[in-house]
């Protein structure tokens, strides 16, 4: 069976986009997508390659972003992915901005910001102190939810995160379904850089929700007034994150479609 696909990225966090308007092409009787298909598509040597799959399904009068990690597991939200998803809906499905996208973490509103897109990621949840460990060294971290779980750890040098070939150790009682771990270093006033290990995908070039969590943790540490915009550098580029007066997280960054075709993976 052959079917169409697109490939896109946001700050080099890359995704396979699968058009599936009626949910029948890639869904079983329960509407669920095969984890084997996701893994095959995301395989960088034998497949198309990507950090995850964005399946575009119509729900009611809108669209649902069915996001899957590269290992086939389900994730609640993806910040870079939702911008790529919005770019696809605008350029291929004719959806106007601003647009509302349904996700497992609620409805996200996307709008243009020059050549980039801004996503209203909703209100963050700051859930207390926790701990992560890499290469036998434990570090304090802040547990932040952006609809999906994050542990933000500050370091003096991003090299301290090590190779990140394995998931950092964490408290399974706090994170029973795994956690995205951000290692963050300060670069200047309202400016940080980070590396991230994403559950289900490994180290990625960027994580949008992780950048939001990093900005929240830094703003709290700085006692920064609401409305302060933080620049977050990731290996794949730069995102800008604002924590607004009305407790919303606005994330702005690029979203690019780079290829499309047909596959039978």
């Amino acid at each position: 069976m052959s079917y169409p696909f697109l490939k896109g990225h946001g700050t080099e966090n890359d995704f396979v986009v699968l058009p599936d308007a009626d949910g029948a092409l890639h869904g079983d009787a329960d509407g669920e997508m095969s984890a084997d298909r996701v893994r095959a598509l995301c395989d960088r040597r034998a497949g198309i390659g990507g950090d995850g799959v964005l399946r575009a399904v119509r729900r009611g009068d809108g669209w649902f972003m069915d996001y899957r990690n590269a290992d086939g597991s389900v994730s609640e939200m993806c910040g870079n992915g939702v911008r790529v998803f919005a770019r696809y809906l605008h350029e291929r499905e004719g959806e106007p901005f601003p647009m509302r996208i349904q996700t497992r973490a609620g409805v996200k509103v996307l709008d243009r910001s020059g050549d980039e897109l801004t996503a209203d990621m909703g209100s963050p949840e700051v859930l207390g102190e926790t701990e992560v460990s890499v290469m036998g060294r434990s570090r304090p971290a802040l547990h932040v939810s952006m609809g999906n779980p994050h542990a933000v750890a500050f370091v003096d040098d991003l090299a301290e995160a090590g190779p990140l070939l394995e998931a950092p150790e964490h408290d399974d009682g706090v994170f029973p379904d795994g956690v995205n771990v951000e290692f963050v270093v300060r670069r200047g006033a309202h400016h940080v850089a980070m590396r991230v290990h994403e559950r289900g995908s490994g180290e990625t070039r960027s994580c949008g929700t992780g950048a939001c969590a990093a900005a929240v943790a830094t703003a709290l540490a700085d006692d920064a007034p609401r409305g302060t915009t933080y620049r977050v550098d990731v290996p794949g580029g730069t995102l800008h994150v604002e924590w607004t007066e009305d407790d919303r997280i606005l994330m702005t960054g690029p979203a690019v479609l780079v290829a499309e075709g047909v596959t039978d993976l």
Side-chain angles (χ1 to χ4, degrees):
M1 177 185 73
S2 297
Y3 51 87
F5 75 91
L6 296 90
K7 177 75 180 285
H9 76 91
T11 50
E12 299 181 7
N13 194 191
D14 59 339
F15 309 96
V16 179
V17 182
L18 296 180
D20 192 10
D22 63 6
L25 183 57
H26 296 288
D28 59 19
D30 298 318
E32 292 298 310
M33 186 176 178
S34 163
D36 287 341
R37 181 171 295 182
V38 173
R39 287 191 289 268
L41 288 165
C42 291
D43 190 309
R44 295 191 181 279
R45 296 187 183 278
I48 296 167
D51 293 322
V53 166
L54 305 170
R55 177 179 170 224
V57 183
R58 276 201 176 277
R59 281 196 179 172
D61 59 356
W63 291 88
F64 171 67
M65 184 181 81
D66 179 10
Y67 177 63
R68 311 281 170 143
N69 296 313
D71 67 353
S73 61
V74 173
S75 183
E76 303 88 349
M77 186 54 201
C78 179
N80 289 317
V82 77
R83 297 196 319 279
V84 172
F85 196 80
R87 180 73 71 187
Y88 159 74
L89 291 181
H90 180 67
E91 295 189 2
R92 298 296 189 272
E93 301 291 347
E95 294 292 335
F97 289 107
M99 72 175 68
R100 295 167 60 85
I101 295 174
Q102 302 169 48
T103 77
R104 292 186 176 88
V107 174
K108 307 302 177 186
V109 179
L110 279 288
D111 206 350
R112 286 173 168 159
S113 182
D115 292 333
E116 299 186 324
L117 299 183
T118 294
D120 181 341
M121 301 294 289
S123 299
E125 291 185 87
V126 180
L127 300 171
E129 298 292 332
T130 185
E131 194 173 83
V132 296
S133 179
V134 289
M135 298 188 298
R137 181 177 175 182
S138 295
R139 300 177 182 280
L142 186 66
H143 180 188
V144 179
S145 173
M146 290 302 310
N148 56 352
H150 294 270
V152 182
F154 288 94
V155 293
D156 294 324
D157 190 312
L158 292 179
E160 294 176 31
L164 287 182
L165 298 177
E166 303 291 337
E169 296 178 22
H170 58 271
D171 186 338
D172 290 331
V174 176
F175 303 109
D177 299 317
V179 62
N180 304 291
V181 180
E182 288 78 34
F183 296 92
V184 179
V185 64
R186 293 180 181 275
R187 294 293 192 220
H190 311 137
H191 181 190
V192 297
M194 75 175 210
R195 290 174 62 195
V196 58
H197 187 284
E198 293 195 62
R199 59 176 183 166
S201 296
E203 183 175 13
T204 57
R205 298 282 292 170
S206 177
C207 175
T209 55
C212 295
V216 166
T218 309
L220 290 172
D222 292 347
D223 195 24
R226 296 293 177 87
T228 301
T229 297
Y230 276 83
R231 170 178 168 170
V232 183
D233 293 338
V234 294
T238 295
L239 296 165
H240 291 90
V241 181
E242 177 190 352
W243 192 356
T244 69
E245 292 283 355
D246 57 348
D247 197 36
R248 314 293 291 181
I249 298 295
L250 303 181
M251 174 190 56
T252 300
V256 184
L257 298 176
V258 298
E260 59 185 305
V262 175
T263 183
D264 59 2
L265 284 168

